[in-house]
Amino acid sequence: MTQPLRVAFTLNSRPVEIDVDPGRTLLDVLREDLDLTGTKQGCDREGECGACTVLLDGEAVRSCLVPIGRVAGRQVLTIEGLGSREKLHPLQQAFIERGAVQCGFCAPGMILSAAALLARRPNPTREEIAEALEGNLCRCTGYTRIVDAVEAAAAALRGEPLPPADGRDAAGGSQVRVDALDKVTGAARYAEDIKMAGLLHAAIVRSTLPHARLLAIDPAPALGLPGVLRVITAADVPGLNSLEGYSRHEPLLAPVGGSLHMVGDAVALVLAESPAGARAGAAAVELAYEPLPVVRDPVAAMEPGAPNVHEGGNVLSEYDIQLGDAEAALARGDVVLEARYATGFLEHAALERETVLAYRDAEGRITVVGGHQEPHWAHGYMARLLGLPSEGVRVITPPMGGAFGGKQDPWPLMAGALAAYHAPGGRPVRLAFTRRESFDASPKRHPYRLHYRVAAAHDGSLQGLFLRVVADTGAYDADGYYISQYALVAGGGPYRWPAVDAHAWAVYTNNPKAGQMRGFGTPQSNLALECTLDELATRLGMDPLALRLHNAIDDDTVLFLGYRPAETVGYRQCLEAIEPWYREALARAAGRNSREAGPWRFGAGLAGMWYRFGKPGPISSEAHAELALDGGVICYCSAPDYGQGTTTVMAQLAAEALGLPRDCVSVVNGDTARTPDSGIQGASRSTYWVGGAVTRAAAALREQILGTAAEMLNQDPERLELRPGAVVAPGEDRLPLAEVAVEMERIGLARRG
Ligand code: FES
């Protein structure tokens, strides 16, 4: 062990003196020794993401690259020292007010980089702001609001008046988020930030081959290493070793005698006293493999004789749409166009890596604190894995550093639960993927191969569509079963097709598993269709917008799916509305092309789409509203907030239904021991479905409150008003809500429903 080094420096304006291993980084010392967890880590300490940015003598540095010895005698400023909750720095204030904080994982580093910029350049241009922040990645915001916020903070620091932030108290306003203050001050505790006494660390033994039979696992070399306490394999799973329900054929840990289907397949969990010890243990576990033939190409995987990824063949699912006689329509089309497209895997790359904290709570319940989009579903998989009743497990969703569909995969929570189940001495366990593991083992967007043949009349009327889609679902299902439907629905788009011959397959390969990602199954087909329409417009000599307008569906169109939308479609109106901007963009591009010599040419593109918003099928959403005994109003739901703002939305909607300011409502969101199951959170459904349940629950609570108060005051409920903390009768008679709650309790009226 390296001799500790005494390092003295100034941290957030206070002197600090610590004895540390000089090989450690400033990031690790801040987070682990000094509990300043506002400084984040997102890229395996490679200086790539900027989440660990701090100021060193006023200069923005990546603390993951700074050896602790280099800070001796210097000034370190972290987000916790920039401003306080009571007195925010103008940058923190502006990030809140300008909506520059979503998941917030990037916010501390981003704000500190901006602070360094504004210290040397008080009046930066937007380009200079963008340049100063180019080392800080954000996966949520698209950066525009961040640049807006830095501009606004710069103005405030120069003493210039700021336009007020817009918004109102309840629905319909542009509200500051309920969690933004915690996120800009570094107070928000993500899964990796939560400390527990006696914490163990888990690392995962993974396959290095894309397809192999697992012949043996030898944990002995790992168990001989200092600090390694336990190696957990499939043989240690007390219940069902399967992700069935979310993903067919996918075990949590590959069993001996079974197959490994992709690089990164999990074989064992190693528990150790430190993260480094766990990783060393995982590297020491010896695996014996028998390599199997590999198939990487989804089209080849459908050929007879292709290596089988799973028993039963490589086609996971297929879907077909037939309408009219497409072949005949294509044969008589005035213009027939054939096009082929291929899209690639796409990684979510949420800035927070997959991380969970798992422990047995005081009641003996296996509890996992970790980001997930359907905590109740993950809860069910965990109980089944451990062979426990539902009451034996619990999922708590902490603040999440992004999800984008990737946190629908229950694997990290299930692995955390198994680790806690076996942890020696009932000690808590943290399991955190490295960024490399996240790239290897998390689900990706499905790559598609698309083959289009389309026919149109000279006037631009679409006549026939032939479409074949092969979607690569990789080694596992991960909800890829449904992708073939999504591929075809998006593949025809919001256009009138009188004849269609469309078929899609989801196919297993030995590639990384594909799963949910924003717009599940839609963007790939959408890209190909819209490019095909542009090519068709060129062939027809027709304006691309005119071609789309000519074929756009309306409310009463019988879709190529065989039914009328019977909704306000609005696609035609959208196209008409954007026309002036589209024409202007075309003119601008043409102007530049005529003026500017050199290799660059400019253009303006146009694309439309429709999306299967909300998920089909019988998925219900439950939410509750409660009048607490202290008079507070609490809304309970399971619509976890991974940066999209659901907690804020639910508070807004509940407040609107109650007729109270938003600050009067608190939200408990995504804790399976406290909140009802609000169903799947994806497909842009949370606001409408869960929000609908929240609105109804809050409206029912309002009626209960006013009804009870009316009895107590001997008043007509219609004449009562619900105000912050009280029901108010004519003449300003105030009945505190706490008294209403006590009365409801006394008479046996449910305070939560
Ligand atoms: Fe920037 Fe999520 S808000 S990464």
Side-chain angles (χ1 to χ4, degrees):
M1 176 163 170
T2 322
Q3 201 60 22
L5 178 76
R6 171 142 300 195
V7 180
F9 58 102
T10 305
L11 175 61
N12 296 336
S13 307
R14 297 221 173 103
V16 172
E17 202 167 304
I18 47 170
D19 294 321
V20 285
D21 177 341
R24 293 177 67 207
T25 65
L26 174 58
L27 169 68
D28 291 339
V29 172
L30 289 171
R31 288 183 54 83
E32 293 162 15
D33 300 29
L34 302 168
D35 199 24
L36 293 174
T37 55
T39 307
K40 308 295 183 199
Q41 201 270 103
C43 66
D44 296 349
R45 300 170 175 78
E46 291 180 2
E48 295 292 341
C49 72
C52 68
T53 302
V54 300
L55 300 191
L56 185 59
D57 291 340
E59 188 188 334
V61 296
R62 285 149 206 194
S63 60
C64 71
L65 299 179
V66 178
I68 188 66
R70 270 194 35 214
V71 307
R74 303 175 74 180
Q75 304 266 347
V76 175
L77 185 76
T78 71
I79 194 69
E80 291 88 349
L82 185 68
S84 64
R85 295 175 80 84
E86 297 70 34
K87 191 167 185 332
L88 292 171
H89 184 278
L91 272 164
Q92 292 167 312
Q93 189 72 42
F95 266 61
I96 293 174
E97 289 178 359
R98 308 286 146 164
V101 183
Q102 290 193 18
C103 82
F105 204 80
C106 70
M110 198 72 82
I111 288 170
L112 287 168
S113 287
L117 168 71
L118 298 188
R120 66 175 186 275
R121 193 149 183 80
N123 194 2
T125 63
R126 289 182 75 84
E127 289 70 30
E128 287 168 335
I129 294 169
E131 200 176 313
L133 300 181
E134 68 185 7
N136 293 80
L137 302 182
C138 176
R139 279 288 289 115
C140 304
T141 61
Y143 299 101
T144 301
R145 285 180 176 239
I146 290 174
V147 176
D148 292 348
V150 178
E151 260 191 329
L157 284 164
R158 295 193 303 268
E160 294 168 14
L162 285 177
D166 56 349
R168 44 185 277 239
D169 272 342
S174 177
Q175 273 285 355
V176 299
R177 294 175 180 234
V178 295
D179 50 359
L181 180 61
D182 282 349
K183 288 175 175 175
V184 299
T185 54
R189 294 267 173 171
Y190 298 78
E192 199 166 4
D193 302 333
I194 302 166
K195 298 273 165 64
M196 288 188 82
L199 188 66
L200 293 176
H201 299 268
I204 304 152
V205 181
R206 295 185 181 277
S207 170
T208 55
L209 295 179
H211 200 192
R213 193 163 326 283
L214 181 62
L215 301 178
I217 305 171
D218 183 3
L223 292 169
L225 294 176
V228 174
L229 302 179
R230 178 81 205 248
V231 176
I232 301 165
T233 68
D236 299 308
V237 173
L240 192 65
N241 178 24
S242 172
L243 273 68
E244 187 72 37
Y246 165 71
S247 185
R248 292 162 181 81
H249 298 298
E250 185 171 0
L252 183 79
L253 298 173
V256 171
S259 292
L260 301 160
H261 301 102
M262 65 176 200
V263 170
D265 247 344
V267 173
L269 304 174
V270 175
L271 306 189
E273 297 285 357
S274 69
R279 282 197 297 277
V285 171
E286 289 183 0
L287 306 181
Y289 298 121
E290 175 197 344
L292 295 171
V294 172
V295 60
R296 295 282 203 189
D297 183 312
V299 176
M302 295 170 66
E303 300 289 336
N308 263 354
V309 179
H310 298 288
E311 277 178 22
N314 291 335
V315 174
L316 166 64
S317 67
E318 54 189 302
Y319 197 69
D320 191 74
I321 296 175
Q322 298 294 326
L323 177 72
D325 188 343
E327 271 313 308
L330 285 156
R332 65 169 183 269
D334 294 333
V335 174
V336 178
L337 179 78
E338 183 158 13
R340 292 175 192 270
Y341 291 89
T343 66
F345 282 103
L346 207 58
E347 161 66 31
H348 303 84
L351 217 51
E352 178 196 29
R353 296 156 293 119
E354 290 80 353
T355 306
V356 302
L357 175 70
Y359 55 91
R360 271 181 203 274
D361 67 13
E363 294 155 47
R365 188 166 41 184
I366 298 292
T367 299
V368 178
V369 182
H372 200 264
Q373 292 175 239
E374 289 93 36
H376 283 267
W377 295 20
H379 178 115
Y381 298 136
M382 281 164 38
R384 192 180 64 184
L385 176 83
L386 301 179
L388 293 173
S390 182
E391 316 79 73
V393 299
R394 177 181 183 184
V395 174
I396 300 172
T397 53
M400 276 183 253
F404 317 115
K407 287 194 168 92
Q408 296 196 2
D409 184 358
W411 196 95
L413 277 78
M414 294 171 70
L418 184 65
Y421 185 91
H422 287 294
R427 292 168 66 181
V429 183
R430 174 140 46 236
L431 181 150
F433 283 20
T434 61
R435 178 57 66 186
R436 170 81 221 193
E437 281 182 296
S438 182
F439 283 148
D440 278 348
S442 69
K444 315 280 177 265
R445 187 187 295 291
H446 293 76
Y448 280 7
R449 305 282 179 85
L450 303 112
H451 178 195
Y452 271 92
R453 281 197 295 137
V454 296
H458 286 307
D459 71 352
S461 302
L462 296 173
Q463 294 174 308
L465 167 67
F466 168 92
L467 173 61
R468 294 291 179 267
V469 184
V470 178
D472 183 355
T473 196
Y476 294 111
D477 165 6
D479 264 358
Y481 187 86
Y482 303 101
I483 204 90
S484 44
Q485 288 182 28
Y486 284 77
L488 294 191
V489 173
Y495 302 105
R496 280 177 280 128
W497 296 102
V500 174
D501 172 4
H503 201 96
W505 298 262
V507 179
Y508 288 121
T509 63
N510 296 115
N511 291 324
K513 68 179 177 185
Q516 283 106 336
M517 190 175 188
R518 299 179 99 164
F520 184 63
T522 298
Q524 304 97 311
S525 297
N526 187 238
L527 165 82
L529 170 64
E530 293 293 315
C531 290
T532 301
L533 290 180
D534 277 350
E535 279 194 65
L536 185 64
T538 304
R539 290 276 295 277
L540 288 163
M542 196 171 175
D543 175 75
L545 177 58
L547 175 67
R548 287 169 173 85
L549 272 168
H550 188 71
N551 293 286
I553 59 168
D554 294 298
D555 298 359
D556 59 352
T557 307
V558 177
L559 307 175
F560 67 91
L561 304 170
Y563 56 87
R564 286 189 171 80
E567 297 280 350
T568 308
V569 173
Y571 184 45
R572 180 179 305 284
Q573 292 84 341
C574 283
L575 290 172
E576 287 166 354
I578 57 110
E579 179 156 12
W581 283 273
Y582 176 60
R583 302 281 171 230
E584 190 192 319
L586 284 175
R588 231 181 9 250
R592 288 188 76 172
N593 287 333
S594 66
R595 281 194 311 277
E596 295 180 27
W600 296 104
R601 284 293 169 268
F602 303 89
L606 171 76
M609 69 169 292
W610 68 357
Y611 180 60
R612 292 177 67 169
F613 155 70
K615 300 267 181 210
I619 301 172
S620 61
S621 292
E622 190 175 341
H624 300 163
E626 177 185 29
L627 178 64
L629 282 173
D630 65 2
V633 178
I634 307 168
C635 162
Y636 299 88
C637 62
S638 292
D641 195 330
Y642 28 88
Q644 81 284 44
T646 40
T647 300
T648 303
V649 166
M650 300 311 154
Q652 281 180 287
L653 290 173
E656 182 88 356
L658 285 155
L660 288 171
R662 191 189 70 178
D663 289 352
C664 296
V665 179
S666 56
V667 178
V668 179
N669 194 355
D671 176 343
T672 59
R674 302 181 66 200
T675 58
D677 184 358
S678 306
I680 189 167
Q681 301 314 312
S684 306
R685 73 187 296 280
S686 301
T687 299
Y688 191 77
W689 268 260
V690 187
V694 163
T695 299
R696 286 186 191 190
L701 180 64
R702 176 185 162 85
E703 267 189 40
Q704 296 272 48
I705 292 171
L706 292 180
T708 307
E711 294 280 334
M712 292 169 76
L713 296 168
N714 199 20
Q715 283 276 358
D716 179 352
E718 299 287 321
R719 305 190 65 210
L720 299 179
E721 256 188 79
L722 188 52
R723 295 209 200 141
V727 175
V728 180
E732 291 297 306
D733 258 1
R734 291 176 66 84
L735 178 61
L737 284 179
E739 289 182 26
V740 179
V742 169
E743 176 64 6
M744 287 168 79
E745 190 80 356
R746 189 187 71 76
I747 62 178
L749 199 58
R751 289 183 293 105
R752 172 174 169 164

